[in-house]
Structures are given as structure tokens and as C-alpha cells.
Amino acid sequence: MEAAGTLERGLAVLRALAADPRRPVRATDLVRATGLARSTVDRVLATLAHLGYVRAEGRDVQPAPRLMELGEAYLAGGGLRDALAPLAGRLADELDESVSLAVPDGDGVRFIVQRTRRRTMSVTFRVGDLLPASRCAAGLALLDPAAPWAEDDQLIEPGLIAVAMPVRDRAGRAVCAVSVVSHTSRHTVAGLREHCLGALRKTVAEMEAALAGRLPSPTEAAPVPSPREAGPLPSPLAAETLSSPPGATGVDPSRAAKQELGMGFLQSLARGLAVMVALGTAPGGLTLADCAKATGLPRATVRRAVQTLERLGYAGAAGGGRFVLLPRVLELGYAGLSGLTIGEIVQPHLADLVARVRESASVAVLSGDDVMYVARVQTVSLMSINITVGTRFPAYATSMGRVLLAELPDERLATIEPRPLSPRTVTSRTELRALLRQAAADGYALVDQELEEGVRSIAVPIRDRTGRTVAAVNVATHAGRATNDTLLRDVLPELRKAAARMEADLAHVRTATDG
């Protein structure tokens, strides 16, 4: 397979996988969906698995959270999301309605920001979803940006209404639309317009001022064609590319992977995806020379990859010899993966951990003064600890709870009243605080039969991309099967490895931890 053809075929497989990211598929399904040869699909999947973009379990394959870094490259490099999302969030709070930002993409609009109000009837559009421009308020606002506003009176779905206005860059181009979305149980479309229009106008003016103040303007550097103008368009690796600051000289790790894996590894696919990620590392895009420098690839290789991405509608020329990613990149699994919960993200790693230590393992989050289990894998044993997802325990008497409480301020800890749950439960507030400080210093907590006699567990924190502890993972066993020393010696290292893998996935899924 020639280089450009390999990248194109790899992206075809990714599109087929992204059609339903939560449903595992098999290679034979992808052969039918793409029309590619089975041997080609197998080599593509092997390469994507090595890069961390897909996860295989037996014959089943599905996208992994790391795949989201392709969409993140567009969202970060385009600049609109990071500049305008705070203003969209403020508008949602002010109006107590859902607010969306969407950009033109061919004959539709694709969402790049969602600030949803949690109600029984709520908006379920996700970042990355595509809607027909002619059937939603955001699309209508971009189709006719000269109009003062646009309305969607149940065009896309019965009961759903919206009012939208275009947002222009400093050159006067409508680069996105902001929508206020509600339901007919709350407003008529006229009532929604009356409720939101003043605040919407003010927010649009602030958004346009924010875009005008950005240097260089990514929207001026890379004008996205409007729906009317645009017709039909004919891993570890990516992580290393992203970790280099703009202008830094990158290293091409695909050489080592090719030597290690041989014919099963499609080097040109890996390099093409690295180019895609690199294009999102600088506002306004990169020149071919800068992209070659950032990836450590030959300029000719970068040129072929960019030409393929242009042909498929994933990249475009931005002026000054630069190229940027376009919204279509978000179709590569971003919407489905962005909706994953923490439990769904950690479950595969939890299963791997249990297979290695042969003891039950769980992940929990802090909920009030309790830990609440969000994922669990139980080992098969005559004596097992019967806990299910949704189970709650007092945080102070559990290893996961101690890890989660360790980062709370003293005034919050002062509200906790420890009570005896077993003869070993620590009930002294002074002693509990000392144990929490020790857990923070050690990076783990071990609890010996304080929740229940016979139950011994050890836990470590799970952190988001900012370093904030958002969950904890533990291994629990019966005291007769493992001593404290055994847990520290044999289980703690494996626990830390599992937590690191979970954190790597969580870093790519903004909605899982960013609210």
C-alpha cells in the first residue's frame, strides 16, 4: 500500500469503528463496512492498537479513549472552543437553559461546545455530533448570517426549540453559531426568544471581542467554508508529538515500532496520524516545514499526509503556507467517546488488574461523606466480597475513601463524625486526620478490617489531567488470603500501574471529569 492510500484506508477503518464507538465490532464487520481486504483491516487494527487508538478483547475491537486526541487536536488548534466555552457556560447559567456552539461542516453544523442543563427532558447532542444545517437554529444562523437571529421550532425533533445567532471573526466572517436550546414544556419559541435574546446578543458581542483579541486569529487563518459554500468533499506516537511545544523538534517513534512489529505495523498510517495531531498544536496551523520539524518526519512524508487529509476534508489550507484541521476530524469517534463515564473508562483496566493480582478490584468516587462504587470486577472465590456498582460506604473507614478524603481541607474533614463499624474502626478525629495526611504523603491508603472484620484493602488515587483526584482504585481481599505486607509488596505496584493507565485514558475524555 502506498503512503497516501494507507492513511486513507486507516481513516476509513476509524470511521467505521466510530459509527458506534460503544459497540464492539469484529474485523469481518469492518471488512463489510469499508470494502477493504481482510489482511488490510487486520494490519490497520494492529497499528491502531499499538498506537492506543483501539482496544481489542479477543476478536472484539472498539475505539479507545486515546482516539479522542485527534478531535482534541482540531478543537485546541482551532481556538474557538477554548476562547468561547467560558462565555457559553456563563450564558447557560444566566438563562438556566442549555447553550451550544456549532461550526459549519459541509452541509451541516458540528457541535464544539455543549453546556447542558440537567433535567428530565434535556438536550442530548454531544460535542462532535453533526446536524443538517437547514434543520437546526445554529445551521440556519450560519446559512443566513445577515439575519438578526434564527429559530428552530421543533425542526430537528418534536418538543425541541432553539434560538441562535452567528459569531463573527474580526474579518466579519461567521465562524460559528451560539444557540440557546430549550423544550416546549418550558417555553414556546417566541417565549424562548423573549427570554434569551438580550443576553444572547450581549454574549455574542463578547465572543466576537474575544476572537478579535486573539493573535493570531485562528478563524482568520483558517476560514471554514459555510454550508452553502462547501460541497461534497472527494498514541504513543501521537502523544510524543503533542507533548512537544510548537517549534520543537520531534522524534519519529514509528521507526522503532516498525522494526519491532515488522509487516504488521503500517508506518505510513502512524505517521499520517501523527501529522494530524501535530496540525492542532499551534493556533492558525503549521507549515509543512514546521510540521516536519514537530513530528521528526521528512517533509515529503508530511506533504503526502496533508494532501490526503485535505482530499478527505480533515485539513485545509490556512494562508501563508499553513494547514489546519477542519471540523470533520470530530467524526472519528469524538462524540461517542466523549460521553463515556468514569466507570466505562476504567472497566477494562480494572479487569486487567484483577487478572494480574487475582483479587477483586473496584473504582469509587466521593459522594458526600461516602464512597460510591462506579466500577467493579470481582474475582471468583469461595469467599468473595459482595459489592455492586452504586454501593456506598462511609469514606473514613475504606481505603478508597481515605485516598479521596486526603485532599480535602481541614474544615471539610471536621464535619465527618467517625463511628465504629468494626472493632478496628478508627473513630478518633485526630487519628483519622493523621492517617489521611499519611495517605496523602504515601500516595496510597491501606485499611485493615475497619469497615468489616476480615476485609483488608489497599487503594491509590486516580487523577485527571490537572492533577486533581477524581476517583480511587482499590484491591480488596479477605484477611486470611493476604497480609498487609503482601498487599504492599505484590499488589501496590500493580495498583499504581493500573491507575496510571486509567489516568492516561481519562486525560483524553474531558466530559468524564470536567463536568
Side-chain angles (χ1 to χ4, degrees):
M1 292 185 287
E2 70 280 7
T6 302
L7 176 57
E8 189 166 344
R9 292 176 177 95
L11 290 169
V13 171
L14 280 176
R15 284 195 299 274
L17 279 167
D20 187 356
R22 299 191 185 204
R23 182 178 66 87
V25 298
R26 295 186 172 182
T28 51
D29 300 321
L30 298 172
V31 168
R32 287 193 294 269
T34 62
L36 298 173
R38 173 62 186 264
S39 60
T40 299
V41 170
D42 286 342
R43 294 173 69 194
V44 168
L45 290 176
T47 302
L48 295 174
H50 179 78
L51 297 175
Y53 288 148
V54 302
R55 179 180 289 130
E57 184 173 343
R59 291 188 293 171
D60 291 337
V61 182
Q62 62 187 126
R66 190 185 194 92
L67 181 59
M68 290 186 67
E69 73 181 358
L70 301 180
E72 274 297 308
Y74 159 70
L75 291 169
L80 291 174
R81 179 195 64 185
D82 294 341
L84 305 184
L87 293 169
R90 192 189 69 187
L91 179 63
D93 291 340
E94 180 180 349
L95 297 175
D96 194 26
E97 299 289 353
S98 296
V99 172
S100 306
L101 285 177
V103 295
D105 185 5
D107 292 328
V109 291
R110 201 173 290 274
F111 292 99
I112 62 169
V113 172
Q114 284 287 1
R115 294 294 180 263
T116 304
R117 315 310 285 177
R118 298 185 183 276
R119 297 194 176 98
T120 302
M121 297 290 291
S122 61
V123 178
T124 57
F125 301 138
R126 305 161 300 183
V127 171
D129 275 338
L130 181 72
L131 291 182
S134 60
R135 295 190 60 199
C136 63
L140 294 171
L142 291 169
L143 285 170
D144 187 9
W149 67 81
E151 297 175 354
D152 170 1
D153 191 356
Q154 307 180 75
L155 293 175
I156 198 70
E157 183 175 316
L160 191 69
I161 57 175
V163 176
M165 293 181 65
V167 179
R168 304 174 188 274
D169 65 12
R170 59 186 173 195
R173 289 184 288 252
V175 294
C176 67
V178 55
S179 307
V180 178
V181 186
S182 190
H183 193 268
T184 51
S185 61
R186 289 177 56 80
H187 297 282
T188 63
V189 72
L192 178 62
R193 181 177 67 241
E194 181 179 353
H195 173 61
C196 76
L197 205 53
L200 184 58
R201 284 197 184 102
K202 179 183 175 184
T203 299
V204 167
E206 292 174 324
M207 289 181 172
E208 292 176 345
L211 293 183
R214 293 176 66 85
L215 295 173
S217 169
T219 52
E220 289 185 24
V224 179
S226 72
R228 284 180 174 172
E229 295 169 339
L233 291 166
S235 82
L237 174 64
E240 292 191 31
T241 302
L242 266 180
S243 64
S244 301
T249 300
V251 177
D252 173 22
S254 70
R255 294 179 184 271
K258 185 66 175 178
Q259 291 176 350
E260 176 188 350
L261 302 174
M263 292 295 292
F265 182 76
L266 298 176
Q267 187 176 31
S268 50
L269 172 57
R271 287 175 163 180
L273 295 173
V275 168
M276 181 182 287
V277 174
L279 291 177
T281 58
L286 294 177
T287 64
L288 295 179
D290 287 339
C291 192
K293 185 178 180 182
T295 58
L297 297 174
R299 183 167 173 171
T301 300
V302 171
R303 181 186 297 109
R304 287 194 298 271
V306 169
Q307 287 172 345
T308 299
L309 294 174
E310 278 192 287
R311 186 170 67 254
L312 297 175
Y314 293 126
R322 290 172 296 163
F323 295 87
V324 294
L325 297 178
L326 298 180
R328 190 157 297 178
V329 173
L330 294 172
E331 77 177 2
L332 300 174
Y334 195 94
L337 291 169
S338 68
L340 292 175
T341 64
I342 290 182
E344 290 170 323
I345 292 167
V346 303
Q347 190 73 21
H349 303 295
L350 209 56
D352 290 342
L353 174 62
V354 170
R356 291 196 303 274
V357 301
R358 300 185 182 278
E359 296 286 358
S360 299
S362 308
V363 170
V365 297
L366 194 63
S367 178
D369 289 344
D370 297 335
V371 291
M372 183 175 70
Y373 285 67
V374 296
R376 178 163 171 81
V377 175
Q378 186 163 308
T379 190
V380 177
S381 173
L382 292 177
M383 288 190 303
S384 61
I385 302 168
N386 188 21
I387 299 170
T388 59
V389 171
T391 297
R392 301 169 73 103
F393 290 125
Y396 63 85
T398 68
S399 59
M400 290 190 289
R402 298 250 174 103
V403 163
L404 293 165
L405 293 173
E407 295 192 357
L408 296 185
D410 286 344
E411 55 269 23
R412 172 68 177 82
L413 298 177
T415 65
I416 296 174
E417 299 181 7
R419 295 185 300 275
L421 303 173
S422 83
R424 295 172 177 256
T425 307
V426 171
T427 57
S428 162
R429 289 184 176 179
T430 301
E431 188 177 351
L432 177 61
R433 288 192 187 185
L435 289 170
L436 295 178
R437 285 194 294 269
Q438 190 63 48
D442 293 340
Y444 72 87
L446 193 157
V447 171
D448 187 4
Q449 305 179 72
E450 294 188 42
L451 179 68
E452 182 178 326
E453 287 190 87
V455 177
R456 185 173 282 152
S457 68
I458 186 169
V460 298
I462 302 171
R463 305 182 190 278
D464 65 12
R465 67 166 68 83
T466 69
R468 178 175 60 100
T469 296
V470 294
V473 55
N474 87 338
V475 168
T477 184
H478 191 274
R481 287 205 301 264
T483 66
N484 290 348
D485 288 342
T486 301
L487 292 178
L488 292 170
R489 184 188 66 243
D490 298 336
V491 173
L492 182 57
E494 296 295 340
L495 202 53
R496 284 176 164 155
K497 290 176 188 176
R501 295 186 185 104
M502 294 172 185
E503 289 171 349
D505 277 356
L506 284 171
H508 295 291
V509 185
R510 296 175 65 94
T511 55
T513 57
D514 297 355

